[in-house]
Amino acid sequence: MLSRIAERACQASNIDKQFGLAVADLLRLPQIGLPDTDIADSYYACNPHPDGTRTWTGVISKYRGDVIHHGYFPFSEESRDLEDVVRVIRHLHDITARVIFKLLGYNGRYRTRVSASTQEVCWVTTSTPPEDLGYR
């Protein structure tokens, strides 16, 4: 058992892929085909995260790391923004719903987490502005 623990400790710094990049790869799969990564990236390119991160994949990787490694969002740090955390969580919730609907073959309407309206599952397109996904 100690050998196994030691092996894991030696590999602790090995990261195969950042969480955000894995999410982006999932959204780009042909059977999923959601353009959210590019839309959110365009927002962060013009409005960098308080810590300087300029990509959505970098931001969600950072937030995932905070939750997994710390168990919370350390808002006491200047690099954290409560409004940004809320908008990203809502967006990820909406993405999760759309991915599940696509996998189930559902193409109807649903109530989004990023607005108070109901939308078709395929409502997000490459021309959707970041504001429609909650990035203001």
Side-chain angles (χ1 to χ4, degrees):
M1 182 183 284
L2 288 176
S3 295
R4 196 166 139 219
I5 293 170
E7 181 181 326
R8 285 185 174 222
C10 289
Q11 296 175 356
S13 64
N14 294 345
I15 298 173
D16 292 329
K17 181 177 280 196
Q18 283 189 343
F19 173 74
L21 296 176
V23 171
D25 287 349
L26 169 71
L27 298 182
R28 290 184 178 116
L29 288 174
Q31 62 268 39
I32 305 297
L34 298 178
D36 295 69
T37 301
D38 295 330
I39 296 166
D41 272 349
S42 71
Y43 170 80
Y44 284 106
C46 296
N47 306 283
H49 187 268
D51 71 359
T53 303
R54 298 178 84 70
T55 64
W56 180 68
T57 56
V59 170
I60 65 174
S61 291
K62 179 174 292 297
Y63 288 160
R64 182 251 180 212
D66 287 343
V67 171
I68 297 299
H69 299 293
H70 300 295
Y72 63 94
F73 295 111
F75 289 114
S76 60
E77 295 179 16
E78 290 181 25
S79 64
R80 300 294 178 246
D81 177 8
L82 178 60
E83 290 178 11
D84 192 61
V85 170
V86 170
R87 82 173 53 101
V88 168
I89 289 171
R90 285 183 177 163
H91 185 205
L92 287 172
H93 184 273
D94 189 68
I95 286 171
T96 302
R98 287 185 283 132
V99 167
I100 290 169
F101 290 147
K102 282 189 163 272
L103 291 174
L104 293 174
Y106 176 75
N107 293 315
R109 298 182 72 78
Y110 76 106
R111 181 170 301 277
T112 72
R113 285 291 290 144
V114 295
S115 71
S117 64
T118 60
Q119 299 283 353
E120 298 284 332
V121 170
C122 58
W123 72 276
V124 178
T125 66
T126 55
S127 62
T128 301
E131 294 80 15
D132 288 359
L133 297 176
Y135 296 93
R136 293 177 168 58

